[in-house]
Coordinates of all heavy atoms in Angstrom, one line a residue:
M109 N -37.6 -4.3 -20.3 CA -37.1 -3.3 -21.3 C -36.1 -4.1 -22.2 O -35.3 -4.8 -21.7 CB -36.4 -2.2 -20.6 CG -35.9 -1.1 -21.5 SD -35.0 0.3 -20.8 CE -36.2 1.0 -19.7
S110 N -36.2 -3.9 -23.5 CA -35.3 -4.6 -24.4 C -33.9 -4.0 -24.2 O -33.7 -2.9 -23.8 CB -35.7 -4.4 -25.9 OG -35.4 -3.1 -26.3
P111 N -32.9 -4.9 -24.5 CA -31.5 -4.4 -24.4 C -31.2 -3.2 -25.2 O -30.5 -2.3 -24.8 CB -30.7 -5.6 -24.9 CG -31.6 -6.8 -24.7 CD -33.0 -6.3 -24.9
V112 N -31.8 -3.1 -26.4 CA -31.5 -1.9 -27.3 C -32.1 -0.7 -26.7 O -31.5 0.4 -26.6 CB -32.1 -2.1 -28.7 CG1 -32.1 -0.9 -29.5 CG2 -31.2 -3.1 -29.4
K113 N -33.4 -0.8 -26.2 CA -34.0 0.4 -25.6 C -33.3 0.8 -24.3 O -33.0 2.0 -24.1 CB -35.5 0.0 -25.2 CG -36.2 1.1 -24.5 CD -37.7 0.8 -24.2 CE -38.3 2.0 -23.5 NZ -39.7 1.6 -23.2
Q114 N -32.8 -0.2 -23.5 CA -32.1 0.1 -22.3 C -30.7 0.8 -22.7 O -30.4 1.8 -22.0 CB -31.8 -1.2 -21.6 CG -31.1 -0.9 -20.2 CD -31.0 -2.2 -19.4 OE1 -31.4 -3.3 -19.8 NE2 -30.5 -2.1 -18.2
L115 N -30.0 0.3 -23.7 CA -28.8 0.9 -24.1 C -29.0 2.4 -24.6 O -28.3 3.3 -24.1 CB -28.2 0.2 -25.3 CG -26.9 0.8 -25.9 CD1 -25.8 0.8 -25.0 CD2 -26.6 0.1 -27.2
V116 N -30.0 2.6 -25.4 CA -30.3 4.0 -25.9 C -30.6 4.9 -24.8 O -30.1 6.0 -24.6 CB -31.4 3.9 -27.0 CG1 -31.8 5.4 -27.4 CG2 -30.9 3.2 -28.3
E117 N -31.6 4.5 -24.0 CA -32.1 5.3 -22.9 C -31.0 5.6 -21.9 O -30.8 6.8 -21.4 CB -33.3 4.7 -22.2 CG -34.5 4.6 -23.1 CD -35.0 5.9 -23.7 OE1 -34.8 7.0 -23.1 OE2 -35.5 5.9 -24.8
S118 N -30.1 4.6 -21.5 CA -29.1 4.9 -20.6 C -28.0 5.8 -21.2 O -27.4 6.6 -20.5 CB -28.5 3.6 -20.0 OG -27.8 2.9 -21.1
T119 N -27.7 5.6 -22.5 CA -26.7 6.5 -23.2 C -27.2 7.9 -23.1 O -26.4 8.8 -22.8 CB -26.5 6.0 -24.6 OG1 -26.0 4.7 -24.6 CG2 -25.5 6.9 -25.3
I120 N -28.4 8.2 -23.4 CA -29.0 9.5 -23.3 C -29.0 10.1 -21.9 O -28.6 11.2 -21.7 CB -30.4 9.5 -23.9 CG1 -30.4 9.2 -25.4 CG2 -31.1 10.9 -23.7 CD1 -31.7 8.9 -26.0
A121 N -29.4 9.2 -20.9 CA -29.5 9.7 -19.5 C -28.2 9.9 -18.9 O -28.0 10.8 -18.0 CB -30.3 8.7 -18.7
D122 N -27.2 9.1 -19.2 CA -25.9 9.1 -18.5 C -24.8 10.1 -19.1 O -23.7 10.2 -18.6 CB -25.3 7.7 -18.5 CG -26.1 6.8 -17.7 OD1 -27.0 7.2 -16.9 OD2 -25.9 5.5 -17.8
N123 N -25.2 10.8 -20.2 CA -24.2 11.6 -20.9 C -24.8 13.0 -21.2 O -26.0 13.1 -21.6 CB -23.7 10.9 -22.2 CG -23.0 9.7 -21.9 OD1 -21.8 9.7 -21.6 ND2 -23.7 8.5 -22.1
K124 N -24.0 14.0 -21.0 CA -24.4 15.4 -21.4 C -24.8 15.5 -22.8 O -25.8 16.1 -23.2 CB -23.3 16.4 -21.0 CG -23.8 17.8 -21.1 CD -22.7 18.8 -20.6 CE -23.2 20.2 -20.5 NZ -24.0 20.5 -19.3
V125 N -24.0 14.8 -23.7 CA -24.3 14.8 -25.1 C -24.2 13.4 -25.6 O -23.3 12.7 -25.3 CB -23.3 15.7 -25.9 CG1 -23.5 15.6 -27.4 CG2 -23.3 17.1 -25.5
A126 N -25.2 12.9 -26.3 CA -25.2 11.6 -27.0 C -25.5 11.8 -28.5 O -26.4 12.5 -28.9 CB -26.3 10.7 -26.4
I127 N -24.6 11.2 -29.2 CA -24.7 11.3 -30.7 C -24.7 9.9 -31.3 O -23.8 9.1 -31.0 CB -23.4 12.0 -31.3 CG1 -23.2 13.4 -30.7 CG2 -23.6 12.1 -32.8 CD1 -21.9 14.0 -31.1
F128 N -25.8 9.6 -32.0 CA -25.9 8.3 -32.6 C -25.6 8.6 -34.1 O -26.2 9.4 -34.8 CB -27.4 7.8 -32.5 CG -27.7 7.5 -31.0 CD1 -28.3 8.5 -30.3 CD2 -27.5 6.3 -30.5 CE1 -28.6 8.3 -28.9 CE2 -27.7 6.0 -29.1 CZ -28.3 7.0 -28.4
S129 N -24.5 7.9 -34.5 CA -23.8 8.3 -35.8 C -23.5 7.2 -36.6 O -23.8 6.0 -36.3 CB -22.5 9.0 -35.3 OG -21.6 9.3 -36.4
K130 N -23.0 7.4 -37.8 CA -22.4 6.4 -38.7 C -21.0 6.9 -39.1 O -20.8 8.1 -39.4 CB -23.2 6.1 -39.9 CG -24.5 5.4 -39.5 CD -25.3 4.8 -40.6 CE -26.5 4.1 -40.1 NZ -27.3 3.5 -41.2
S131 N -20.0 6.1 -39.1 CA -18.6 6.5 -39.2 C -18.3 7.1 -40.6 O -17.4 8.0 -40.7 CB -17.7 5.3 -39.0 OG -18.0 4.3 -40.0
W132 N -19.1 6.8 -41.6 CA -18.8 7.3 -43.0 C -19.6 8.6 -43.3 O -19.4 9.1 -44.4 CB -19.1 6.2 -44.0 CG -20.5 5.6 -43.8 CD1 -20.8 4.5 -43.1 CD2 -21.8 6.1 -44.2 NE1 -22.2 4.2 -43.1 CE2 -22.8 5.2 -43.8 CE3 -22.2 7.3 -44.9 CZ2 -24.1 5.5 -44.0 CZ3 -23.5 7.5 -45.2 CH2 -24.5 6.6 -44.7
C133 N -20.5 9.0 -42.4 CA -21.5 10.0 -42.7 C -20.8 11.4 -42.6 O -20.4 11.8 -41.5 CB -22.7 9.9 -41.8 SG -23.8 11.3 -41.8
P134 N -20.8 12.3 -43.6 CA -20.2 13.6 -43.5 C -21.0 14.5 -42.6 O -20.4 15.4 -41.9 CB -20.2 14.1 -45.0 CG -21.2 13.3 -45.7 CD -21.3 12.0 -45.0
Y135 N -22.3 14.4 -42.5 CA -23.1 15.2 -41.6 C -22.8 14.8 -40.1 O -22.7 15.7 -39.3 CB -24.6 15.0 -41.9 CG -25.0 15.4 -43.3 CD1 -25.2 14.5 -44.2 CD2 -25.1 16.8 -43.6 CE1 -25.5 14.8 -45.5 CE2 -25.4 17.1 -44.9 CZ -25.6 16.2 -45.8 OH -25.9 16.6 -47.1
C136 N -22.6 13.5 -39.9 CA -22.2 13.1 -38.6 C -20.8 13.6 -38.2 O -20.6 14.1 -37.1 CB -22.2 11.5 -38.5 SG -23.8 10.7 -38.8
A137 N -19.9 13.6 -39.2 CA -18.6 14.1 -38.9 C -18.6 15.6 -38.5 O -17.9 16.0 -37.6 CB -17.7 13.9 -40.2
R138 N -19.5 16.3 -39.2 CA -19.6 17.8 -38.9 C -20.1 18.0 -37.5 O -19.6 18.8 -36.7 CB -20.5 18.4 -39.9 CG -20.6 19.9 -39.8 CD -21.3 20.6 -40.9 NE -22.7 20.1 -41.0 CZ -23.5 20.3 -42.0 NH1 -23.1 21.0 -43.1 NH2 -24.7 19.9 -42.0
A139 N -21.1 17.2 -37.1 CA -21.7 17.3 -35.8 C -20.7 16.9 -34.7 O -20.6 17.6 -33.7 CB -23.0 16.5 -35.7
K140 N -20.1 15.8 -35.0 CA -19.1 15.3 -34.0 C -18.0 16.3 -33.8 O -17.5 16.5 -32.6 CB -18.5 13.9 -34.4 CG -19.6 12.8 -34.3 CD -19.0 11.5 -34.7 CE -18.7 11.3 -36.1 NZ -18.4 9.9 -36.5
K141 N -17.5 16.9 -34.9 CA -16.4 17.9 -34.7 C -16.9 19.1 -33.9 O -16.1 19.6 -33.1 CB -15.9 18.3 -36.1 CG -14.8 19.3 -36.1 CD -14.3 19.7 -37.4 CE -13.1 20.6 -37.3 NZ -12.7 21.1 -38.6
L142 N -18.1 19.6 -34.2 CA -18.6 20.7 -33.5 C -18.7 20.4 -32.0 O -18.2 21.2 -31.2 CB -19.9 21.2 -34.1 CG -20.6 22.3 -33.3 CD1 -19.8 23.6 -33.3 CD2 -22.0 22.5 -33.9
L143 N -19.3 19.3 -31.7 CA -19.6 19.0 -30.3 C -18.4 18.5 -29.5 O -18.3 18.8 -28.3 CB -20.7 18.0 -30.2 CG -22.1 18.6 -30.6 CD1 -23.1 17.5 -30.7 CD2 -22.5 19.6 -29.6
T144 N -17.4 17.9 -30.1 CA -16.2 17.4 -29.4 C -15.2 18.5 -29.2 O -14.3 18.4 -28.4 CB -15.5 16.2 -30.1 OG1 -15.2 16.6 -31.4 CG2 -16.5 15.0 -30.0
T145 N -15.4 19.7 -29.9 CA -14.5 20.8 -29.7 C -15.2 22.0 -29.1 O -14.6 23.1 -29.1 CB -13.8 21.2 -31.0 OG1 -14.8 21.6 -32.0 CG2 -13.0 20.0 -31.6
Y146 N -16.5 21.9 -28.8 CA -17.3 23.0 -28.3 C -16.8 23.5 -27.0 O -16.6 22.7 -26.0 CB -18.8 22.6 -28.3 CG -19.7 23.8 -28.3 CD1 -19.9 24.5 -29.5 CD2 -20.3 24.3 -27.1 CE1 -20.7 25.7 -29.5 CE2 -21.1 25.4 -27.1 CZ -21.3 26.1 -28.3 OH -22.1 27.2 -28.3
P147 N -16.7 24.9 -26.8 CA -16.3 25.4 -25.5 C -17.3 25.0 -24.4 O -18.5 25.1 -24.7 CB -16.3 26.9 -25.8 CG -16.2 27.1 -27.2 CD -16.8 25.9 -27.8
G148 N -16.8 24.6 -23.3 CA -17.7 24.2 -22.2 C -18.0 22.7 -22.2 O -18.6 22.2 -21.3
L149 N -17.6 22.0 -23.3 CA -17.8 20.6 -23.3 C -16.5 19.9 -23.3 O -15.6 20.2 -24.0 CB -18.6 20.1 -24.6 CG -20.1 20.3 -24.7 CD1 -20.6 19.9 -26.0 CD2 -20.8 19.5 -23.6
D150 N -16.4 18.9 -22.4 CA -15.2 18.1 -22.4 C -15.4 16.8 -23.2 O -16.5 16.4 -23.4 CB -14.9 17.7 -20.9 CG -13.6 17.1 -20.7 OD1 -12.6 17.8 -20.9 OD2 -13.5 15.9 -20.3
Q151 N -14.3 16.2 -23.6 CA -14.5 14.9 -24.4 C -15.3 13.9 -23.6 O -16.1 13.2 -24.2 CB -13.1 14.3 -24.7 CG -12.3 15.1 -25.6 CD -12.7 14.8 -27.1 OE1 -13.5 14.0 -27.4 NE2 -12.0 15.5 -28.0
S152 N -15.2 13.9 -22.3 CA -15.9 12.9 -21.5 C -17.4 13.3 -21.4 O -18.2 12.4 -21.0 CB -15.4 12.9 -20.1 OG -15.5 14.1 -19.4
D153 N -17.8 14.5 -21.9 CA -19.2 14.8 -21.9 C -20.0 14.3 -23.1 O -21.2 14.3 -23.1 CB -19.4 16.4 -21.9 CG -18.9 17.1 -20.6 OD1 -19.0 16.4 -19.6 OD2 -18.4 18.2 -20.7
V154 N -19.2 13.9 -24.1 CA -19.8 13.5 -25.4 C -19.7 12.0 -25.6 O -18.6 11.5 -25.6 CB -19.2 14.2 -26.6 CG1 -19.8 13.9 -27.9 CG2 -19.2 15.8 -26.3
K155 N -20.8 11.3 -25.7 CA -20.8 9.9 -26.0 C -21.3 9.7 -27.4 O -22.3 10.2 -27.8 CB -21.7 9.1 -25.0 CG -21.9 7.7 -25.3 CD -20.6 6.9 -24.9 CE -20.8 5.4 -25.0 NZ -19.6 4.7 -24.7
I156 N -20.5 9.0 -28.2 CA -20.8 8.7 -29.6 C -20.9 7.2 -29.9 O -20.0 6.4 -29.5 CB -19.7 9.3 -30.6 CG1 -19.5 10.8 -30.3 CG2 -20.0 8.9 -32.0 CD1 -18.2 11.3 -30.9
L157 N -22.1 6.8 -30.4 CA -22.3 5.4 -30.8 C -22.3 5.4 -32.3 O -23.1 6.0 -33.0 CB -23.6 4.9 -30.3 CG -23.7 4.7 -28.8 CD1 -25.0 4.0 -28.4 CD2 -22.5 3.8 -28.2
E158 N -21.3 4.7 -32.9 CA -21.3 4.5 -34.4 C -22.1 3.3 -34.8 O -21.7 2.2 -34.6 CB -19.8 4.3 -34.8 CG -18.9 5.5 -34.5 CD -19.2 6.7 -35.3 OE1 -20.1 6.7 -36.1 OE2 -18.4 7.7 -35.1
L159 N -23.3 3.6 -35.3 CA -24.3 2.5 -35.5 C -23.8 1.5 -36.6 O -24.1 0.3 -36.5 CB -25.6 3.1 -35.9 CG -26.2 4.1 -34.9 CD1 -27.6 4.5 -35.3 CD2 -26.3 3.5 -33.5
D160 N -23.0 2.0 -37.6 CA -22.6 1.1 -38.6 C -21.5 0.1 -38.1 O -21.2 -0.8 -38.8 CB -22.1 1.9 -39.9 CG -21.0 2.8 -39.6 OD1 -21.0 3.5 -38.5 OD2 -20.0 2.9 -40.4
L161 N -20.9 0.4 -37.0 CA -19.9 -0.5 -36.4 C -20.4 -1.4 -35.3 O -19.6 -2.1 -34.7 CB -18.7 0.4 -35.9 CG -18.1 1.4 -36.9 CD1 -17.0 2.2 -36.3 CD2 -17.6 0.7 -38.1
R162 N -21.7 -1.4 -35.1 CA -22.3 -2.2 -34.1 C -23.2 -3.3 -34.7 O -23.9 -3.0 -35.6 CB -23.1 -1.3 -33.1 CG -22.3 -0.3 -32.4 CD -23.2 0.5 -31.5 NE -23.9 -0.3 -30.6 CZ -23.5 -0.6 -29.3 NH1 -22.4 -0.1 -28.9 NH2 -24.2 -1.4 -28.6
D163 N -23.2 -4.4 -34.1 CA -24.1 -5.5 -34.5 C -25.6 -5.1 -34.4 O -26.4 -5.5 -35.1 CB -23.8 -6.8 -33.8 CG -22.5 -7.4 -34.2 OD1 -22.0 -7.1 -35.3 OD2 -22.0 -8.2 -33.4
D164 N -25.9 -4.3 -33.3 CA -27.2 -3.9 -33.0 C -27.6 -2.5 -33.6 O -28.6 -1.9 -33.2 CB -27.5 -4.0 -31.5 CG -26.6 -3.1 -30.7 OD1 -25.6 -2.5 -31.3 OD2 -26.7 -3.0 -29.5
G165 N -26.7 -2.0 -34.5 CA -26.9 -0.6 -35.0 C -28.2 -0.4 -35.7 O -28.9 0.6 -35.5
S166 N -28.7 -1.3 -36.5 CA -30.0 -1.1 -37.2 C -31.1 -1.2 -36.2 O -32.1 -0.5 -36.4 CB -30.1 -2.2 -38.3 OG -30.2 -3.5 -37.8
E167 N -31.0 -2.0 -35.2 CA -32.0 -2.0 -34.1 C -32.1 -0.7 -33.4 O -33.1 -0.2 -33.0 CB -31.8 -3.2 -33.2 CG -31.9 -4.6 -33.8 CD -31.4 -5.6 -32.8 OE1 -32.1 -5.8 -31.8 OE2 -30.4 -6.3 -33.1
I168 N -30.9 -0.2 -33.1 CA -30.8 1.1 -32.4 C -31.5 2.2 -33.3 O -32.2 3.0 -32.8 CB -29.3 1.5 -32.1 CG1 -28.8 0.5 -31.0 CG2 -29.2 2.9 -31.6 CD1 -27.3 0.7 -30.8
Q169 N -31.1 2.2 -34.5 CA -31.7 3.2 -35.4 C -33.2 3.1 -35.5 O -33.9 4.1 -35.5 CB -31.1 3.1 -36.8 CG -31.3 4.3 -37.7 CD -30.3 4.3 -38.9 OE1 -29.6 3.4 -39.2 NE2 -30.4 5.4 -39.6
S170 N -33.7 1.9 -35.5 CA -35.2 1.6 -35.6 C -35.8 2.1 -34.3 O -36.9 2.7 -34.3 CB -35.5 0.2 -35.8 OG -35.1 -0.2 -37.1
Y171 N -35.2 1.8 -33.1 CA -35.7 2.3 -31.9 C -35.7 3.8 -31.8 O -36.7 4.4 -31.4 CB -34.9 1.8 -30.7 CG -35.4 2.3 -29.4 CD1 -36.6 2.0 -28.9 CD2 -34.7 3.3 -28.7 CE1 -37.1 2.6 -27.7 CE2 -35.2 3.9 -27.6 CZ -36.4 3.5 -27.1 OH -36.9 4.1 -25.9
L172 N -34.7 4.5 -32.3 CA -34.6 5.9 -32.3 C -35.7 6.5 -33.2 O -36.3 7.5 -32.8 CB -33.2 6.4 -32.8 CG -32.1 6.3 -31.8 CD1 -30.8 6.5 -32.4 CD2 -32.3 7.3 -30.6
Q173 N -36.0 5.9 -34.3 CA -37.1 6.3 -35.2 C -38.4 6.2 -34.5 O -39.2 7.2 -34.5 CB -37.1 5.5 -36.5 CG -38.2 6.0 -37.4 CD -38.3 5.3 -38.7 OE1 -37.7 4.2 -38.8 NE2 -38.9 5.8 -39.7
S174 N -38.6 5.2 -33.7 CA -39.9 5.0 -33.0 C -40.1 6.0 -31.9 O -41.1 6.4 -31.6 CB -40.1 3.6 -32.6 OG -39.2 3.3 -31.5
S175 N -38.9 6.3 -31.3 CA -39.0 7.2 -30.1 C -38.9 8.7 -30.4 O -39.4 9.5 -29.7 CB -38.0 6.8 -29.0 OG -36.7 7.0 -29.5
T176 N -38.2 9.0 -31.5 CA -38.0 10.4 -31.9 C -38.7 10.9 -33.2 O -38.8 12.0 -33.4 CB -36.5 10.8 -32.0 OG1 -36.0 10.1 -33.1 CG2 -35.7 10.4 -30.8
G177 N -39.0 9.9 -34.0 CA -39.6 10.2 -35.3 C -38.5 10.4 -36.4 O -38.8 10.7 -37.5
Q178 N -37.2 10.3 -35.9 CA -36.1 10.6 -36.8 C -35.3 9.3 -37.1 O -34.8 8.7 -36.1 CB -35.2 11.7 -36.2 CG -33.9 11.9 -37.0 CD -33.0 12.9 -36.4 OE1 -33.4 13.8 -35.6 NE2 -31.7 12.7 -36.6
R179 N -35.2 8.9 -38.3 CA -34.4 7.8 -38.7 C -33.0 8.1 -39.1 O -32.1 7.3 -39.0 CB -35.1 7.0 -39.8 CG -34.3 5.7 -40.2 CD -35.2 4.6 -40.6 NE -34.4 3.5 -41.0 CZ -34.0 2.5 -40.2 NH1 -34.3 2.5 -38.9 NH2 -33.3 1.5 -40.6
T180 N -32.8 9.3 -39.6 CA -31.5 9.7 -40.1 C -30.5 9.9 -39.0 O -30.8 10.1 -37.8 CB -31.6 11.0 -41.0 OG1 -32.1 12.0 -40.1 CG2 -32.5 10.7 -42.2
V181 N -29.2 9.9 -39.4 CA -28.1 10.2 -38.5 C -27.4 11.5 -39.0 O -27.5 11.7 -40.2 CB -27.1 9.0 -38.3 CG1 -27.7 7.9 -37.6 CG2 -26.5 8.6 -39.7
P182 N -26.8 12.2 -38.1 CA -26.7 12.0 -36.7 C -28.0 12.2 -36.0 O -28.8 13.0 -36.5 CB -25.7 13.0 -36.2 CG -25.8 14.1 -37.2 CD -26.1 13.5 -38.5
N183 N -28.2 11.5 -34.9 CA -29.4 11.8 -34.0 C -28.8 12.2 -32.7 O -28.1 11.5 -32.0 CB -30.2 10.4 -33.9 CG -31.6 10.7 -33.6 OD1 -31.9 11.6 -32.8 ND2 -32.5 9.8 -34.1
I184 N -29.0 13.5 -32.3 CA -28.3 14.1 -31.3 C -29.2 14.5 -30.1 O -30.3 15.0 -30.3 CB -27.6 15.4 -31.8 CG1 -26.8 15.1 -33.0 CG2 -26.9 16.1 -30.7 CD1 -26.4 16.4 -33.8
F185 N -28.7 14.2 -28.9 CA -29.4 14.6 -27.7 C -28.4 15.4 -26.8 O -27.2 15.0 -26.7 CB -29.7 13.3 -26.9 CG -30.8 12.5 -27.5 CD1 -30.4 11.6 -28.6 CD2 -32.1 12.6 -27.2 CE1 -31.4 10.8 -29.2 CE2 -33.1 11.8 -27.8 CZ -32.7 10.9 -28.8
I186 N -28.9 16.5 -26.2 CA -28.1 17.3 -25.3 C -28.9 17.5 -24.0 O -30.1 17.9 -24.1 CB -27.7 18.7 -25.9 CG1 -26.9 18.5 -27.2 CG2 -27.0 19.5 -24.9 CD1 -26.6 19.8 -27.9
N187 N -28.3 17.1 -22.9 CA -29.0 17.1 -21.6 C -30.4 16.4 -21.7 O -31.4 16.9 -21.3 CB -29.2 18.5 -21.1 CG -27.8 19.1 -20.7 OD1 -27.0 18.4 -20.2 ND2 -27.7 20.4 -21.0
Q188 N -30.4 15.2 -22.4 CA -31.5 14.4 -22.5 C -32.6 15.0 -23.4 O -33.7 14.4 -23.5 CB -32.1 14.0 -21.2 CG -31.1 13.3 -20.3 CD -31.6 12.9 -18.9 OE1 -32.8 12.7 -18.8 NE2 -30.8 12.7 -18.0
E189 N -32.3 16.1 -24.1 CA -33.3 16.7 -25.0 C -32.9 16.3 -26.4 O -31.8 16.5 -26.8 CB -33.3 18.2 -24.8 CG -34.2 18.9 -25.7 CD -34.2 20.4 -25.6 OE1 -33.8 20.9 -24.5 OE2 -34.5 21.1 -26.5
H190 N -33.9 15.8 -27.2 CA -33.6 15.5 -28.6 C -33.4 16.8 -29.4 O -34.3 17.6 -29.4 CB -34.8 14.6 -29.2 CG -34.5 14.2 -30.5 ND1 -35.3 14.6 -31.6 CD2 -33.6 13.4 -31.1 CE1 -34.9 14.1 -32.7 NE2 -33.8 13.4 -32.4
I191 N -32.3 16.9 -30.0 CA -31.9 18.1 -30.8 C -32.3 17.9 -32.2 O -32.7 18.8 -32.9 CB -30.4 18.4 -30.7 CG1 -30.0 18.6 -29.2 CG2 -30.0 19.6 -31.6 CD1 -30.8 19.7 -28.5
G192 N -32.1 16.7 -32.7 CA -32.3 16.4 -34.1 C -31.0 16.0 -34.8 O -30.2 15.3 -34.2
G193 N -30.8 16.5 -36.0 CA -29.6 16.2 -36.8 C -28.6 17.3 -36.9 O -28.7 18.3 -36.2
S194 N -27.8 17.2 -37.9 CA -26.7 18.1 -38.1 C -27.2 19.5 -38.4 O -26.6 20.5 -37.9 CB -25.8 17.6 -39.2 OG -24.7 18.5 -39.4
D195 N -28.2 19.6 -39.3 CA -28.7 21.0 -39.6 C -29.4 21.6 -38.4 O -29.2 22.8 -38.2 CB -29.7 20.9 -40.8 CG -29.0 20.5 -42.1 OD1 -27.8 20.7 -42.2 OD2 -29.8 20.1 -43.0
D196 N -30.0 20.8 -37.6 CA -30.7 21.4 -36.4 C -29.6 21.9 -35.4 O -29.7 22.9 -34.8 CB -31.5 20.3 -35.7 CG -32.6 19.7 -36.6 OD1 -33.4 20.5 -37.1 OD2 -32.6 18.5 -36.8
L197 N -28.5 21.1 -35.3 CA -27.4 21.5 -34.4 C -26.8 22.8 -34.9 O -26.5 23.7 -34.1 CB -26.4 20.4 -34.4 CG -25.1 20.6 -33.5 CD1 -25.5 20.8 -32.1 CD2 -24.1 19.5 -33.7
S198 N -26.6 22.9 -36.2 CA -26.0 24.1 -36.8 C -26.9 25.3 -36.6 O -26.4 26.4 -36.2 CB -25.7 23.9 -38.3 OG -24.7 23.0 -38.5
A199 N -28.2 25.1 -36.7 CA -29.1 26.2 -36.4 C -29.1 26.7 -35.0 O -29.1 27.9 -34.7 CB -30.5 25.8 -36.8
L200 N -29.0 25.7 -34.1 CA -28.8 26.1 -32.7 C -27.6 26.9 -32.4 O -27.6 27.8 -31.6 CB -28.8 24.8 -31.8 CG -30.2 24.1 -31.5 CD1 -30.0 22.8 -30.8 CD2 -31.1 25.0 -30.8
E201 N -26.5 26.5 -33.0 CA -25.2 27.2 -32.8 C -25.4 28.6 -33.4 O -25.0 29.6 -32.7 CB -24.1 26.5 -33.5 CG -22.8 27.2 -33.3 CD -21.6 26.7 -34.1 OE1 -21.8 26.1 -35.2 OE2 -20.5 26.8 -33.7
R202 N -25.9 28.8 -34.6 CA -26.0 30.1 -35.2 C -26.9 31.0 -34.3 O -26.7 32.2 -34.3 CB -26.6 30.0 -36.6 CG -25.6 29.6 -37.6 CD -26.1 29.7 -39.1 NE -27.4 29.1 -39.3 CZ -27.6 27.8 -39.6 NH1 -26.6 27.0 -39.8 NH2 -28.8 27.3 -39.8
S203 N -28.0 30.5 -33.7 CA -28.9 31.3 -33.0 C -28.4 31.6 -31.6 O -29.0 32.4 -30.9 CB -30.2 30.5 -32.8 OG -30.1 29.4 -32.0
G204 N -27.3 30.9 -31.1 CA -26.8 31.1 -29.8 C -27.4 30.2 -28.8 O -27.0 30.2 -27.6
K205 N -28.4 29.4 -29.1 CA -29.1 28.6 -28.2 C -28.3 27.4 -27.8 O -28.5 26.8 -26.7 CB -30.4 28.1 -28.8 CG -31.4 29.3 -28.9 CD -32.7 28.8 -29.5 CE -33.7 30.0 -29.7 NZ -34.9 29.7 -30.4
L206 N -27.3 27.0 -28.6 CA -26.5 25.8 -28.3 C -25.7 26.1 -27.0 O -25.6 25.2 -26.1 CB -25.6 25.4 -29.4 CG -24.7 24.2 -29.2 CD1 -25.5 23.0 -28.9 CD2 -23.8 24.0 -30.4
K207 N -25.2 27.3 -26.9 CA -24.4 27.7 -25.7 C -25.2 27.5 -24.4 O -24.7 27.0 -23.4 CB -23.9 29.1 -25.9 CG -23.0 29.6 -24.8 CD -22.5 31.0 -25.1 CE -21.4 31.4 -24.0 NZ -20.9 32.7 -24.3
T208 N -26.5 27.9 -24.5 CA -27.4 27.8 -23.4 C -27.7 26.4 -23.0 O -27.6 26.0 -21.9 CB -28.7 28.5 -23.7 OG1 -28.4 29.9 -24.0 CG2 -29.6 28.5 -22.5
L209 N -27.9 25.5 -24.1 CA -28.1 24.1 -23.8 C -26.9 23.4 -23.2 O -27.1 22.6 -22.3 CB -28.4 23.4 -25.2 CG -29.9 23.4 -25.6 CD1 -29.9 22.8 -27.0 CD2 -30.8 22.7 -24.7
V210 N -25.7 23.7 -23.7 CA -24.5 23.1 -23.2 C -24.3 23.5 -21.7 O -23.8 22.7 -20.9 CB -23.3 23.5 -24.1 CG1 -22.0 23.1 -23.4 CG2 -23.5 22.7 -25.4
A211 N -24.6 24.8 -21.4 CA -24.3 25.3 -20.1 C -25.3 24.8 -19.0 O -25.0 24.8 -17.9 CB -24.4 26.8 -20.1
A212 N -26.5 24.3 -19.5 CA -27.5 23.9 -18.6 C -27.1 22.7 -17.8 O -26.3 21.9 -18.2 CB -28.8 23.6 -19.3

């Protein structure tokens, strides 16, 4: 297994919430704010990888695209389930399904 694949897969498997982000992205900021302050989630439940601040960030983004079909950030996983991006996260919150996912 490549180091990038191993990093991505272990980040997803070892954390309740994994967010693959870019530090300058306003959509990422919105998703990070929602998930780091969400009731029932502790700061330690949320792992954020800022791809623009990592040497292997573009490789991680390419791997995520090949495994999820999504190249854009944020790329969000909750309980190892690919959620999608910021709009997908907002839709889950509005529908009440985010609460169920977080509680699982």
Side-chain angles (χ1 to χ4, degrees):
M109 183 182 302
S110 79
V112 166
K113 180 179 179 181
Q114 187 173 1
L115 171 68
V116 170
E117 296 301 330
S118 66
T119 299
I120 294 166
D122 296 344
N123 295 282
K124 188 171 189 83
V125 176
I127 306 171
F128 298 89
S129 174
K130 291 196 176 174
S131 61
W132 50 263
C133 169
Y135 299 101
C136 296
R138 184 171 63 192
K140 290 183 287 191
K141 182 177 181 184
L142 174 64
L143 289 169
T144 57
T145 60
Y146 197 77
L149 280 178
D150 191 64
Q151 290 280 357
S152 62
D153 293 329
V154 181
K155 177 70 172 179
I156 301 168
L157 292 184
E158 299 290 1
L159 302 185
D160 60 318
L161 303 179
R162 298 179 56 92
D163 291 338
D164 57 358
S166 62
E167 295 171 66
I168 291 171
Q169 197 165 7
S170 293
Y171 175 72
L172 285 167
Q173 181 179 17
S174 69
S175 64
T176 67
Q178 177 184 329
R179 177 146 181 90
T180 57
V181 291
N183 205 325
I184 305 165
F185 294 80
I186 299 176
N187 292 322
Q188 302 178 23
E189 181 181 334
H190 182 243
I191 299 306
S194 181
D195 290 343
D196 302 303
L197 179 64
S198 294
L200 283 173
E201 182 190 27
R202 283 191 307 274
S203 71
K205 292 179 183 174
L206 182 58
K207 186 176 184 177
T208 304
L209 274 174
V210 165

